[in-house]
Amino acid sequence: MDVFGSLNLNELALGLSNLSMFPCFDTAHYIISVMSLREQPGALEVSQRSPFACWFSSMLYCFGGAVLSALMMADAPVAPLSNTTNLLLASLMWYLVFYCPLDAVYSLASVLPVRLVLTAMKEVTRTWKVLGGVTQAGRKYKDGLFVMIAVGWAKGAGGGLLSNFEQLVRGVWKPETNELLKMSYPTKVTLLGSVVFSLHQCRFLPIHTHQLIFIYTLFIVTNKVCGNHSRFNPQSVRVNVLLSKNYLHSDLDIQRHNNTCFLLFHGFYPVSFHLLPVFFCHHYARAAASDVTVTSTPNWSIYTIKKTLIIHEYPKLHLAN
Amino acid sequence: MDVFGSLNLNELALGLSNLSMFPCFDTAHYIISVMSLREQPGALEVSQRSPFACWFSSMLYCFGGAVLSALMMADAPVAPLSNTTNLLLASLMWYLVFYCPLDAVYSLASVLPVRLVLTAMKEVTRTWKVLGGVTQAGRKYKDGLFVMIAVGWAKGAGGGLLSNFEQLVRGVWKPETNELLKMSYPTKVTLLGSVVFSLHQCRFLPIHTHQLIFIYTLFIVTNKVCGNHSRFNPQSVRVNVLLSKNYLHSDLDIQRHNNTCFLLFHGFYPVSFHLLPVFFCHHYARAAASDVTVTSTPNWSIYTIKKTLIIHEYPKLHLAN
Amino acid sequence: MDVFGSLNLNELALGLSNLSMFPCFDTAHYIISVMSLREQPGALEVSQRSPFACWFSSMLYCFGGAVLSALMMADAPVAPLSNTTNLLLASLMWYLVFYCPLDAVYSLASVLPVRLVLTAMKEVTRTWKVLGGVTQAGRKYKDGLFVMIAVGWAKGAGGGLLSNFEQLVRGVWKPETNELLKMSYPTKVTLLGSVVFSLHQCRFLPIHTHQLIFIYTLFIVTNKVCGNHSRFNPQSVRVNVLLSKNYLHSDLDIQRHNNTCFLLFHGFYPVSFHLLPVFFCHHYARAAASDVTVTSTPNWSIYTIKKTLIIHEYPKLHLAN
């Protein structure tokens, strides 16, 4: 592609395609994966009640893609366990995110700039995983376009596709929803990547591999980091349960509520202060049919209201005013 | 067997055993499979809400046997995806059955004679699948009679055996029932075929392969087409939800109800008119514990009351008078 | 180890390690496995309603470890079916335990001394299964310590780890609990054994294989038989549903209740009479949130109150006074 030549991006793309995922990018992937597990409703309780189930769930978040693609290709699904270094690294991250004294690691990783960087790095590993799955399938099934797409997708978005069974490990069962019925943003974007890389593997795309890696990585990283994925899938804004010890009581009026939030945000996370109006104007909160109260946020700004507010009654909630 | 010689059936049996399943018989199998998915409660709604989950469910109906037997034999369960032609054919049938303008394909295939022919052709593919599974298992496990039975059964009735997980894809979860607890007619007859072909593979039956194929195919086709399977399993009469736009109101009395039915049937499907007394005398309707009302019909006559009536209150229902 | 030499245990350990599991120990494993299935709530009803599902469940209890470890190592999970002799033996035990006239086999195997011996023999097979799994994994993944642990564990405690799916076969679905969330005693002790054998396989333990087999077998057998596992896991005392035709009415006062129990025990099972004080002092009864009434007992003394009492109201229950 001439664009690459004219913009002198070829060297950058080649450098990116030679990047080693271990240890930095893998670590970021493990941290973000375990954090997204921790932000699931009930996960913290499971981590106290049954550390083993929690560890197993974390490993499914971290290695779910490898397990699922191995199952699909009739390889041994325990193979990820044979990579002792990565397994220990993921287990260490699991331990630090869930049980670190003072909750230091989770708090630190939740700070917006840190989380943004980690999320970006995690997205980079997605490219490698999709490409790995497509190549692995292409070796066994030459010209098997659909097999390549399926395996690449499974490897890149395995944790999400396995989510029903991952939840089952934690004693949660939600049969009415799954990633096939209602795809989340990462699942969708991985499917897109898998299709593109599979077409490339079958020589339908006149572009070099390193260029494609560069374009796809750039696409998913910017999409994720800029939070633009809500444009891609408006419904992907997830409902996250915010568990907190010092929540506000429901008899506070919303104004005071907001003030407190602003004050707390201001005190704790000055960097995110300018983001708040965006957040409160563009998103709305919903209460789930449970006793814990939930509020929906874009992925990257979960941290902004964590530890600061839990809104207890939905009818009183008019954050978007 | 002398019977074959004396009846000059040997040539016919040999011809049948050399029949190619692709494309006609496979197409019939895909159409009937996707139609039986469409007739599941809630499937139409899923097809509107989430076409991908619907497509995936359809593929499990079409290729469930191949996937399950591959899992059991430690072959790659994505292998059916590598047969691009068959996958595209099945996908096309899925599209036509669910989304064809004017619902033309489904309406056409629902007409009794067409459906009977398609069902007969689908049953023929069952023989080939069972035989394929038994042979595949016999190649790996010589004299492993039970392995052959299991794999042949899985390959022939895979969609049914996987039904719990197929339903999960559509967000439906019915743990209280499965094909092992309460076998449906196709599952039973496939098990029978698998036993017979496995015994033959182990040389316990003094009969040629093409003769066995002929006898078994004749048996399942006539059983299915004549609807005699209710003799084989009186409980196999399934509860099918009939979704319709122009249903009759529950305050109609049954007499008027029946009259309307007859009129509607008469108008739409003259060919089936003579079947109605049989249908209304021999079968009864049951209401499920849900807000949709259901009525039980033998498999081959679903179409007869489709689009014509939904009976809304069970106590008022005395069809068998 | 010098201890083995000084105690002249080497010969015994070598003899144990050369012991053949077939047929005696395997038979004991099948009987105890099928009995523990029979003691599950609702299993008896399933055995009447759907013998095939019951048989399939029994096979999962008997061969669950082999199936799960095969799935994990990408071997064919139908392989256990290829061992025709063992399959027929297990099926025979299933038939005898569930359908024997006069319930003779179950009643006999439930007598304390018989059950103790069978349980001890079953525990011996556990050692062999764990060792088999570890060796099998070690052959494929040299130095893959975690793979060995996982496969050994799966092979030794497969039935338990698969319990959610085994229950699904019987139409029971309990997503809120599984063996990872809350490990039972056998699962825990199998994990311990798997870790020890895997460390030995990786040459971290300076001990001969036959010595390790001897120590581990001795440990699990004594633990299980002496009922000391409650020390290892106080919560592992299971809630067992006691189904009986001649239960006592809830309006009996507890004193008379106890007297009756003692009398019944005395009459039926003299050998267990001296165990009763231990039983009634150390264990307590709990009522489950269902209409059937349950009482908790240590595994080996289930039989003591089977057929004698069902306590219908929890508040009246003060057995431990």
Side-chain angles (χ1 to χ4, degrees):
Chain A
M1 282 171 91
D2 291 319
V3 185
F4 272 82
S6 60
L7 289 174
N8 290 321
L9 285 175
N10 256 324
E11 303 251 325
L12 186 62
L14 265 173
L16 180 72
S17 70
N18 290 325
L19 211 61
S20 168
M21 288 298 107
F22 183 84
C24 298
F25 290 87
D26 280 340
T27 307
H29 167 59
Y30 301 146
I31 293 179
I32 292 293
S33 297
V34 177
M35 282 173 75
S36 66
L37 168 62
R38 192 185 142 138
E39 280 149 9
Q40 296 294 311
L44 269 177
E45 194 220 344
V46 168
S47 75
Q48 298 299 325
R49 194 157 47 94
S50 173
F52 187 81
C54 179
W55 174 82
F56 193 81
S57 251
S58 300
M59 293 307 107
L60 281 181
Y61 262 83
C62 293
F63 301 110
V67 169
L68 186 60
S69 64
L71 273 176
M72 286 167 67
M73 295 292 289
D75 294 333
V78 285
L81 290 180
S82 68
N83 192 337
T84 310
T85 322
N86 277 39
L87 185 73
L88 289 178
L89 189 60
S91 301
L92 180 67
M93 293 309 132
W94 160 75
Y95 185 82
L96 291 177
V97 167
F98 272 101
Y99 305 106
C100 185
L102 298 174
D103 217 1
V105 171
Y106 181 71
S107 302
L108 181 69
S110 296
V111 177
L112 183 58
V114 180
R115 186 153 192 158
L116 280 185
V117 170
L118 290 175
T119 303
M121 290 169 79
K122 180 205 153 78
E123 290 304 310
V124 173
T125 67
R126 194 184 297 278
T127 312
W128 263 250
K129 283 191 281 177
V130 173
L131 183 61
V134 169
T135 316
Q136 181 193 354
R139 227 175 287 132
K140 204 164 169 181
Y141 298 95
K142 284 187 201 308
D143 305 321
L145 181 66
F146 294 102
V147 179
M148 290 181 209
I149 294 175
V151 176
W153 190 34
K155 196 150 194 170
L161 295 171
L162 282 174
S163 61
N164 282 69
F165 296 97
E166 181 276 320
Q167 289 167 352
L168 186 56
V169 170
R170 292 185 280 120
V172 176
W173 185 243
K174 293 179 186 159
E176 69 282 357
T177 181
N178 62 56
E179 285 285 327
L180 296 175
L181 261 182
K182 193 174 166 70
M183 285 190 207
S184 63
Y185 167 75
T187 310
K188 270 186 186 169
V189 88
T190 310
L191 180 56
L192 176 72
S194 189
V195 170
V196 170
F197 281 110
S198 300
L199 289 174
H200 179 258
Q201 180 84 5
C202 294
R203 293 163 211 280
F204 290 128
L205 296 185
I207 184 175
H208 289 292
T209 309
H210 64 271
Q211 293 171 339
L212 193 60
I213 290 176
F214 182 77
I215 294 171
Y216 179 66
T217 308
L218 203 70
F219 171 71
I220 54 174
V221 167
T222 49
N223 247 301
K224 187 82 179 186
V225 169
C226 302
N228 282 349
H229 62 267
S230 53
R231 213 177 37 194
F232 189 74
N233 172 14
Q235 277 79 38
S236 79
V237 177
R238 293 290 193 77
V239 176
N240 297 291
V241 171
L242 306 179
L243 294 164
S244 164
K245 287 169 195 155
N246 54 339
Y247 54 77
L248 301 174
H249 291 292
S250 57
D251 49 2
L252 290 172
D253 67 323
I254 290 299
Q255 195 50 45
R256 197 177 137 211
H257 211 77
N258 274 347
N259 287 347
T260 319
C261 297
F262 271 80
L263 280 172
L264 286 172
F265 277 122
H266 198 210
F268 290 151
Y269 308 112
V271 73
S272 70
F273 188 71
H274 69 282
L275 286 169
L276 270 181
V278 181
F279 168 66
F280 278 109
C281 294
H282 287 74
H283 298 93
Y284 53 93
R286 274 194 289 182
S290 68
D291 53 350
V292 289
T293 315
V294 300
T295 179
S296 77
T297 66
N299 277 344
W300 50 264
S301 59
I302 287 163
Y303 89 98
T304 47
I305 60 168
K306 225 197 133 279
K307 303 204 175 173
T308 60
L309 82 150
I310 284 198
I311 298 127
H312 264 249
E313 291 190 7
Y314 178 47
K316 287 192 177 172
L317 193 65
H318 300 292
L319 289 176
N321 61 333
Chain B
M1 283 171 90
D2 291 318
V3 184
F4 272 82
S6 60
L7 290 173
N8 290 322
L9 287 175
N10 256 324
E11 303 250 328
L12 186 61
L14 264 173
L16 179 74
S17 70
N18 289 325
L19 211 61
S20 168
M21 288 299 105
F22 184 84
C24 299
F25 290 87
D26 279 341
T27 307
H29 167 58
Y30 301 147
I31 292 179
I32 293 291
S33 299
V34 176
M35 282 173 75
S36 65
L37 167 63
R38 191 184 143 138
E39 280 149 10
Q40 296 293 311
L44 269 177
E45 193 220 345
V46 168
S47 75
Q48 298 300 324
R49 193 157 47 94
S50 172
F52 186 81
C54 180
W55 175 82
F56 194 82
S57 251
S58 300
M59 294 305 108
L60 281 182
Y61 263 82
C62 294
F63 301 110
V67 169
L68 187 60
S69 64
L71 272 176
M72 285 166 68
M73 295 293 289
D75 294 333
V78 285
L81 291 180
S82 68
N83 192 335
T84 310
T85 323
N86 278 39
L87 185 74
L88 289 178
L89 189 60
S91 301
L92 180 68
M93 293 308 133
W94 159 76
Y95 185 82
L96 291 177
V97 168
F98 273 100
Y99 306 104
C100 185
L102 298 175
D103 217 2
V105 171
Y106 181 72
S107 301
L108 180 70
S110 296
V111 177
L112 183 58
V114 180
R115 185 153 191 155
L116 280 184
V117 169
L118 289 175
T119 303
M121 290 170 80
K122 181 205 154 76
E123 290 304 309
V124 172
T125 67
R126 194 185 297 279
T127 311
W128 263 250
K129 282 190 280 176
V130 173
L131 184 61
V134 168
T135 315
Q136 181 192 356
R139 225 175 289 131
K140 204 165 169 182
Y141 297 95
K142 284 186 202 308
D143 305 322
L145 180 66
F146 294 102
V147 178
M148 292 180 208
I149 294 175
V151 176
W153 189 34
K155 196 149 193 170
L161 294 171
L162 282 174
S163 61
N164 283 69
F165 296 96
E166 180 276 321
Q167 289 167 352
L168 186 57
V169 170
R170 291 185 279 120
V172 176
W173 185 242
K174 293 179 186 162
E176 68 283 356
T177 182
N178 62 57
E179 285 285 328
L180 296 176
L181 262 182
K182 195 173 166 70
M183 285 191 208
S184 64
Y185 167 75
T187 310
K188 271 186 185 169
V189 88
T190 311
L191 180 56
L192 176 72
S194 190
V195 170
V196 170
F197 281 110
S198 299
L199 288 173
H200 179 258
Q201 179 86 2
C202 294
R203 291 162 213 281
F204 291 128
L205 296 185
I207 185 174
H208 289 293
T209 308
H210 65 270
Q211 292 171 341
L212 193 59
I213 290 176
F214 182 77
I215 295 172
Y216 180 66
T217 308
L218 203 69
F219 171 71
I220 53 175
V221 168
T222 49
N223 247 302
K224 189 81 178 185
V225 170
C226 302
N228 282 349
H229 62 267
S230 54
R231 211 177 39 194
F232 189 74
N233 172 14
Q235 278 81 37
S236 79
V237 177
R238 294 290 193 75
V239 176
N240 298 290
V241 172
L242 305 180
L243 294 164
S244 163
K245 286 169 194 153
N246 53 338
Y247 54 80
L248 303 174
H249 291 291
S250 56
D251 48 2
L252 290 171
D253 66 325
I254 291 300
Q255 195 51 46
R256 196 175 138 214
H257 211 76
N258 274 346
N259 288 345
T260 320
C261 296
F262 272 80
L263 281 170
L264 286 171
F265 277 121
H266 198 210
F268 289 153
Y269 308 112
V271 73
S272 70
F273 188 71
H274 69 281
L275 285 169
L276 271 181
V278 181
F279 167 66
F280 278 109
C281 294
H282 287 73
H283 298 91
Y284 53 92
R286 274 194 290 181
S290 70
D291 53 351
V292 290
T293 314
V294 300
T295 179
S296 75
T297 67
N299 278 345
W300 48 265
S301 59
I302 287 165
Y303 90 98
T304 47
I305 60 170
K306 229 200 129 277
K307 303 202 175 173
T308 59
L309 82 149
I310 283 199
I311 298 128
H312 263 249
E313 291 191 8
Y314 179 46
K316 288 193 179 172
L317 194 65
H318 300 291
L319 290 176
N321 59 334
Chain C
M1 281 172 91
D2 291 319
V3 185
F4 272 81
S6 61
L7 290 174
N8 291 321
L9 287 175
N10 256 323
E11 303 249 327
L12 187 61
L14 265 172
L16 180 73
S17 71
N18 290 326
L19 213 61
S20 168
M21 288 298 105
F22 183 84
C24 299
F25 290 87
D26 279 341
T27 308
H29 167 59
Y30 300 147
I31 293 180
I32 292 292
S33 298
V34 177
M35 283 172 73
S36 65
L37 167 63
R38 191 183 144 140
E39 281 149 9
Q40 296 293 312
L44 269 177
E45 194 220 343
V46 168
S47 74
Q48 298 299 325
R49 194 157 46 93
S50 173
F52 186 81
C54 179
W55 174 82
F56 194 80
S57 251
S58 300
M59 294 305 107
L60 281 182
Y61 261 83
C62 294
F63 301 110
V67 170
L68 187 60
S69 64
L71 272 176
M72 286 166 68
M73 295 292 290
D75 294 333
V78 284
L81 290 180
S82 67
N83 191 336
T84 310
T85 323
N86 277 39
L87 185 74
L88 289 179
L89 189 59
S91 301
L92 180 67
M93 293 308 131
W94 161 75
Y95 185 82
L96 291 177
V97 167
F98 273 101
Y99 307 104
C100 185
L102 298 176
D103 218 1
V105 170
Y106 182 71
S107 301
L108 181 69
S110 296
V111 177
L112 182 58
V114 180
R115 185 152 190 159
L116 280 185
V117 170
L118 289 175
T119 304
M121 289 170 79
K122 181 205 153 77
E123 290 304 309
V124 173
T125 67
R126 194 184 296 279
T127 311
W128 263 250
K129 283 189 281 177
V130 173
L131 184 60
V134 168
T135 315
Q136 182 193 355
R139 225 175 288 132
K140 203 164 170 183
Y141 297 96
K142 285 186 200 309
D143 305 320
L145 181 65
F146 293 104
V147 178
M148 291 181 208
I149 294 175
V151 176
W153 190 35
K155 196 149 193 171
L161 294 171
L162 283 174
S163 60
N164 283 69
F165 296 97
E166 180 275 321
Q167 289 167 352
L168 185 56
V169 171
R170 292 185 280 120
V172 176
W173 185 244
K174 293 179 186 159
E176 68 283 355
T177 181
N178 62 56
E179 285 285 328
L180 296 176
L181 261 182
K182 193 174 166 71
M183 286 191 207
S184 63
Y185 167 75
T187 310
K188 271 185 185 170
V189 88
T190 310
L191 180 56
L192 177 73
S194 190
V195 169
V196 170
F197 279 111
S198 300
L199 289 173
H200 179 259
Q201 180 86 3
C202 294
R203 292 164 214 280
F204 290 128
L205 295 185
I207 185 173
H208 289 292
T209 309
H210 64 270
Q211 291 171 342
L212 192 59
I213 290 176
F214 182 76
I215 295 172
Y216 179 66
T217 308
L218 203 70
F219 171 72
I220 54 174
V221 168
T222 50
N223 247 302
K224 189 81 179 186
V225 170
C226 300
N228 282 349
H229 62 268
S230 54
R231 213 177 39 193
F232 189 74
N233 172 14
Q235 277 79 38
S236 78
V237 176
R238 292 290 194 77
V239 175
N240 297 291
V241 171
L242 305 180
L243 294 165
S244 163
K245 287 169 195 155
N246 55 338
Y247 54 79
L248 302 174
H249 291 292
S250 58
D251 49 2
L252 289 171
D253 66 324
I254 289 300
Q255 195 50 43
R256 196 176 136 211
H257 212 77
N258 273 347
N259 287 346
T260 321
C261 296
F262 271 79
L263 280 170
L264 286 172
F265 277 122
H266 197 209
F268 289 152
Y269 308 111
V271 72
S272 71
F273 188 70
H274 70 282
L275 286 169
L276 271 182
V278 180
F279 167 67
F280 277 110
C281 294
H282 287 74
H283 298 92
Y284 53 92
R286 274 194 290 182
S290 70
D291 53 350
V292 289
T293 315
V294 299
T295 178
S296 76
T297 66
N299 278 344
W300 49 264
S301 59
I302 287 163
Y303 88 99
T304 48
I305 60 169
K306 228 199 131 275
K307 303 201 174 175
T308 61
L309 83 149
I310 283 197
I311 297 128
H312 263 250
E313 292 191 5
Y314 178 48
K316 287 193 180 174
L317 192 66
H318 299 292
L319 290 175
N321 60 336

